[in-house]
Every structure is written in structure tokens, then in C-alpha cells.
Amino acid sequence: MEELGIGEVVRRSGVPASTLRYYEERGLIGSVGRRGLTRVFGKEVFQRLALISVGRAAGFTLDEIARMFAPDGRPQLDRALLTSKADELDATIRRLTVMRDGLRHAAACAAPSHMECPKFQRLLERLA
């Protein structure tokens, strides 16, 4: 098994050493040992870091992400949790779409004041 020092993992993944140490402390990744005082990782750490990155981008907490790994380190995805998060993302997309459309309208609206624009008023009501 190829062992990579923490510096090499940082260089190849772009994840800061402090974050790697924190993820290890939280049980999200695990070093395979030490070379002197330096942590060493197996190359599978990159897959775990990618899964953590995707989970964070989707809005999962680190605790939720930690539960997505079986004790042996393999992914163990909770399909109900994934569906729930997808539903949350759908709601966020709908809200952001309304906001985007409203901002575009406000930028092009000919009304003397945005507060006089009925469409802008409806946007405020929907987002309140």
C-alpha cells in the first residue's frame, strides 16, 4: 500500500493540514500510521475527502457525513437522509430562483421606485 505523508495529501487534495487533522480527530478520515512525527495516509484518503467535499457542498453536517461511513470506512449511505437533503435543496433552488428572477426584474423595472412596483412587492411578500 502506498503511504503518503500529510504534506503530499495536502498538495494533491488542496485540503489544509489543519483540516486533515480535524477530520481525523472527528473520525472522518484515518491515518495509517506515522513516519516520525508525520502522519501518513493511504491513497484511499482521496476518495473519502472527495465524499466529504460533496457532502459539505450538499449541506450535510460533519456529523451526518461521519454517519455515512461504515465502521470499516466504506461508504454506507442513508437513502432517507439523501432524499431529505435533496428535498431541502429543491426548496432552496425554488427560493433562489424566485429571488434571482425578482432581482433581474428590479434591475430592469421602469417604475420610479422599486417599492412602487407590484411585481417587486409580490417578491418581497414571497420571500418574507
Side-chain angles (χ1 to χ4, degrees):
M1 174 174 75
E2 181 182 4
E3 292 182 351
L4 305 160
I6 193 169
E8 180 66 12
V9 175
V10 167
R11 187 183 70 71
R12 288 173 54 181
S13 70
V15 177
S18 58
T19 301
L20 294 174
R21 287 189 289 272
Y22 181 68
Y23 286 171
E24 186 177 19
E25 186 179 295
R26 296 286 305 264
L28 294 166
I29 63 172
S31 60
V32 294
R34 292 186 173 270
R35 214 179 290 136
L37 296 176
T38 303
R39 288 174 170 85
V40 292
F41 296 87
K43 64 181 179 176
E44 68 280 352
V45 72
F46 296 112
Q47 182 181 50
R48 287 184 71 103
L49 290 172
L51 288 169
I52 293 166
S53 178
V54 168
R56 295 295 288 157
F60 289 101
T61 67
L62 289 179
D63 287 336
E64 289 170 327
I65 293 168
R67 289 190 300 270
M68 290 183 191
F69 293 105
D72 65 2
R74 284 189 272 173
Q76 174 180 286
L77 302 177
D78 177 338
R79 293 177 193 276
L81 181 61
L82 296 178
T83 300
S84 174
K85 185 58 72 175
D87 291 344
E88 285 178 34
L89 290 172
D90 282 339
T92 299
I93 289 167
R94 283 191 297 276
R95 276 193 318 278
L96 290 174
T97 298
V98 167
M99 189 174 296
R100 180 206 58 207
D101 293 348
L103 291 173
R104 290 209 172 144
H105 172 77
C109 183
S113 163
H114 292 71
M115 298 314 287
E116 297 172 34
C117 174
K119 188 170 183 177
F120 189 73
Q121 288 295 321
R122 283 192 303 275
L123 169 69
L124 292 178
E125 289 169 13
R126 285 184 74 184
L127 295 175

